[in-house]
Amino acid sequence: MGLQQFERRLERLVEGVFAKAFKSGLQPVELGRRLTREMDANRTLGVRGTIAPNHFTFELAPSDHERFASFEAALRRELADAARQHARDEGYVFLGPVEVVIDMDKSAAPGMFMLAGEVVAAPGGGVVGSLVLPDGRRIPVGDDPVTIGRQADCEITLTDKNVSRRHAEIRRSDDAIELVDLDSMNGTRVNGGGVKQRILSDGDQITVGTTTIRFEAS
């Protein structure tokens, strides 16, 4: 299901001004298909479950690299999302954030590419997770807590008057990532229910004021 959604998004990505460039030759969706196969082929069993590669490096022929250059950043985001969705579908876990690199191999023939996937642990070896904002920005949860509020020094700053100056905090705790409400005026909700403190699970919807932020365990 995740790969099908990825393919549809890639089709929309290359519509319009890019359509003529992708009538033939290497198709972006081929990279996504290969990425998921790489995850399946190189998964390993670890203490936390089935561990999959989280760092992917594609090497494309010069002509293909040039064709992809105009939307490379968007393509890398889509490929990373495809990896995260495939991990959810298959029950894989990552030891670090998902990263996709697209390089050029001058010796490669048009239409050919190489992919290397590897497991790269997060600094400190702790659990990983990200907060996805409504505009698509992704804020990783690392060793330092991520604070949400109206105060300018918060990692996620909101201008909503219903949000306290320091409203809530997301931080690593033992082998999990948890949300803590910082005694906010109007409270914090996860999946519609009010919480003071909660271990987050992949896909949880955190609502602060009128803003909803999605937690992803990757």
Side-chain angles (χ1 to χ4, degrees):
M1 184 64 175
L3 187 56
Q4 292 176 349
Q5 293 173 348
F6 165 78
E7 291 177 356
R8 287 195 290 269
R9 291 201 303 268
L10 258 293
E11 287 172 358
R12 291 194 293 269
L13 189 62
V14 300
E15 283 177 352
V17 295
F18 302 121
K20 291 182 180 179
F22 290 96
K23 285 184 177 178
S24 62
L26 179 64
Q27 301 296 310
V29 72
E30 294 178 48
L31 305 185
R33 292 170 181 157
R34 176 65 182 278
L35 182 148
T36 56
R37 291 200 300 270
E38 181 78 6
M39 293 173 65
D40 294 339
N42 291 288
R43 66 189 188 276
T44 58
L45 189 60
V47 175
R48 297 178 187 168
T50 303
I51 298 168
N54 60 294
H55 190 282
F56 305 92
T57 301
F58 289 91
E59 294 189 351
L60 311 184
S63 59
D64 292 321
H65 189 270
E66 183 179 356
R67 289 163 66 230
F68 289 8
S70 57
F71 67 108
E72 180 182 319
L75 178 59
R76 287 191 288 106
R77 286 195 300 270
E78 291 290 351
L79 289 167
D81 283 345
R84 295 184 188 98
Q85 186 60 57
H86 189 62
R88 294 188 195 99
D89 292 344
E90 299 298 326
Y92 298 159
V93 296
F94 297 125
L95 297 187
V98 177
E99 295 185 24
V100 176
V101 177
I102 300 179
D103 284 338
M104 181 173 62
D105 179 359
K106 293 182 179 180
S107 65
M112 304 296 292
F113 67 92
M114 297 291 293
L115 170 61
E118 56 184 331
V119 175
V120 177
V127 294
V128 297
S130 297
L131 301 170
V132 184
L133 305 186
D135 62 4
R137 284 185 296 146
R138 182 176 295 272
I139 309 297
V141 181
D143 292 333
D144 296 325
V146 175
T147 306
I148 305 171
R150 287 190 293 111
Q151 201 162 289
D153 62 353
C154 290
E155 283 71 27
I156 299 176
T157 305
L158 304 175
T159 58
D160 186 348
K161 293 182 179 179
N162 295 308
V163 175
S164 298
R165 291 174 61 81
R166 292 179 63 84
H167 193 106
E169 183 177 86
I170 292 87
R171 61 195 181 200
R172 286 179 177 173
S173 175
D174 297 325
D175 201 29
I177 293 177
E178 67 175 350
L179 176 146
V180 178
D181 181 86
L182 302 176
D183 295 324
S184 65
M185 182 72 69
N186 293 308
T188 303
R189 301 190 301 278
V190 175
N191 302 329
V195 299
K196 283 294 184 182
Q197 186 169 347
R198 173 167 170 154
I199 299 297
L200 294 174
S201 299
D202 185 60
D204 278 349
Q205 302 284 330
I206 304 163
T207 302
V208 176
T210 59
T211 300
T212 298
I213 300 166
R214 185 174 74 256
F215 172 74
E216 292 188 354
S218 57

